[in-house]
Amino acid sequence: MSPDEYCHQKTVQSGSSFYYSFLFLPQERRRAITALYAFCREVDDTVDECTDQSIARIKLAWWRTEVSKMYEGTPTHPVMLALQPHLAVYQLEQKHLQAIVDGMEMDLDQSRYLDYPAMQRYCWHVASVVGILSASIFGVTNPRTLEYAEKLGLAFQLTNIIRDVGEDARKGRIYLPINELQQFGVTAADLLNARHSDKFEALMRFQVARAYRMYDEAMALLPKEDRRAQRPGLMMAAIYRTVLDEIERDNYHVLNQRISLTPIRKLWLAWKTYVRS
């Protein structure tokens, strides 16, 4: 199996919505974004699938070294071998890849966030940076496009946090800010025990409104001249906003289920956005 094939398989197996937006890219950009996504999956799996935190830290340290070796021209992992040819072409900076690893380590260091700025810092590491790197691969002529991508990455991560509230709580992680839980009278025990209530619905209504606002702010930042190149991000936005729509329609029942879209619906949303953009 070649490095590119390894990354493709990793992406397909993940079942991520991102895969559908990759399908519409030219071959070289598709290879680059698939390698980037595979890297994100590898480091994320290091934390999610490793029950021993000390071992997870050792593995993340190895990934940091592997990123450095990639920029020195001596990587060993298939994902790094696949990503290396694209570094200079798309101006992918090492500091951003290292920031992603730092974000994964935050999950080992912290399972609660006091307020929204603290949660936003976490989101920047695990999502906004990915948005910046992805936009660079898609094509950027105006620096404001990177601001759009950074904001859109935040919107995606807020959507993930809303969708996975119950699942994350059962893993011992609560990303919703503590002060906002207190504001709406929702406890950590309510999340862990899947206690749906009017208070929880009010909390989630607040969270969903903020996520929608981030999508709107991101779209306002996207320069017209880069809109065509950034169609993959716009496709993802269409899919993720539809997930938010479904969560709202289901009265925020996210504590004991994971609301998602069918593959056919994701592909339809991606295609419709591609045509319109």
Side-chain angles (χ1 to χ4, degrees):
M1 185 184 297
S2 71
D4 284 329
E5 289 169 340
Y6 177 93
C7 293
H8 177 75
Q9 185 178 75
K10 187 80 176 178
T11 303
V12 172
Q13 288 176 344
S14 74
S16 171
S17 299
F18 285 89
Y19 173 72
Y20 298 91
S21 65
F22 300 169
L23 296 174
F24 296 86
L25 283 167
Q27 184 177 8
E28 284 307 300
R29 294 186 192 273
R30 186 168 67 246
R31 287 176 58 209
I33 195 65
T34 300
L36 174 63
Y37 181 78
F39 166 73
C40 294
R41 285 260 48 92
E42 290 283 355
V43 292
D44 188 41
D45 290 347
T46 293
V47 174
D48 284 347
E49 297 178 2
C50 189
T51 56
D52 188 324
Q53 286 200 5
S54 61
I55 293 176
R57 290 183 192 280
I58 291 170
K59 289 184 175 181
L60 287 178
W62 183 88
W63 276 108
R64 286 194 185 89
T65 302
E66 188 69 3
V67 170
S68 297
K69 288 169 65 177
M70 178 176 62
Y71 280 86
E72 294 166 359
T74 59
T76 59
H77 194 279
V79 168
M80 300 287 92
L81 290 168
L83 187 56
Q84 185 186 18
H86 307 290
L87 300 179
V89 176
Y90 302 116
Q91 299 180 328
L92 307 180
E93 296 186 46
Q94 180 175 175
K95 67 179 183 180
H96 288 144
L97 291 167
Q98 297 288 10
I100 295 171
V101 182
D102 292 341
M104 301 308 169
E105 189 165 40
M106 290 174 72
D107 273 330
L108 302 178
D109 296 331
Q110 193 170 353
S111 59
R112 307 285 172 90
Y113 293 88
L114 178 61
D115 52 25
Y116 179 64
M119 182 182 77
Q120 192 174 4
R121 282 193 293 274
Y122 168 76
C123 293
W124 185 86
H125 279 87
V126 300
S128 292
V129 170
V130 180
I132 293 169
L133 290 165
S134 299
S136 300
I137 291 171
F138 300 152
V140 173
T141 61
N142 187 322
R144 283 191 66 199
T145 298
L146 297 180
E147 297 176 33
Y148 142 84
E150 186 175 5
K151 182 80 72 171
L152 188 61
L154 172 60
F156 288 159
Q157 191 60 24
L158 292 177
T159 305
N160 286 338
I161 288 171
I162 291 165
R163 181 195 62 196
D164 299 338
V165 166
E167 182 180 335
D168 287 335
R170 288 186 288 275
K171 292 178 181 178
R173 299 174 188 161
I174 298 177
Y175 296 105
L176 298 179
I178 293 172
N179 66 341
E180 293 177 4
L181 291 174
Q182 294 171 339
Q183 176 185 343
F184 288 92
V186 176
T187 67
D190 291 334
L191 304 185
L192 182 60
N193 295 302
R195 289 198 286 259
H196 190 93
S197 65
D198 291 343
K199 292 179 179 179
F200 177 75
E201 287 188 12
L203 169 67
M204 297 312 294
R205 194 174 298 114
F206 176 82
Q207 302 297 327
V208 168
R210 177 163 56 200
Y212 279 135
R213 190 164 63 251
M214 291 304 108
Y215 284 109
D216 292 341
E217 290 178 9
M219 295 308 158
L221 287 168
L222 178 59
K224 184 177 180 180
E225 61 266 31
D226 281 344
R227 185 174 180 85
R228 187 178 182 87
Q230 295 298 319
R231 282 187 295 191
L234 298 176
M235 294 178 206
M236 282 307 308
I239 292 170
Y240 266 59
R241 286 194 71 141
T242 302
V243 170
L244 283 181
D245 293 342
E246 291 299 320
I247 290 171
E248 274 196 315
R249 191 171 291 115
D250 198 42
N251 291 322
Y252 314 101
H253 281 89
V254 291
L255 289 173
N256 52 16
Q257 66 176 346
R258 191 176 196 263
I259 294 176
S260 60
L261 309 180
T262 64
I264 290 297
R265 192 173 181 190
K266 291 176 183 177
L267 187 59
W268 166 246
L269 287 167
W271 169 250
K272 185 168 65 171
T273 305
Y274 180 86
V275 172
R276 288 179 176 176
S277 301

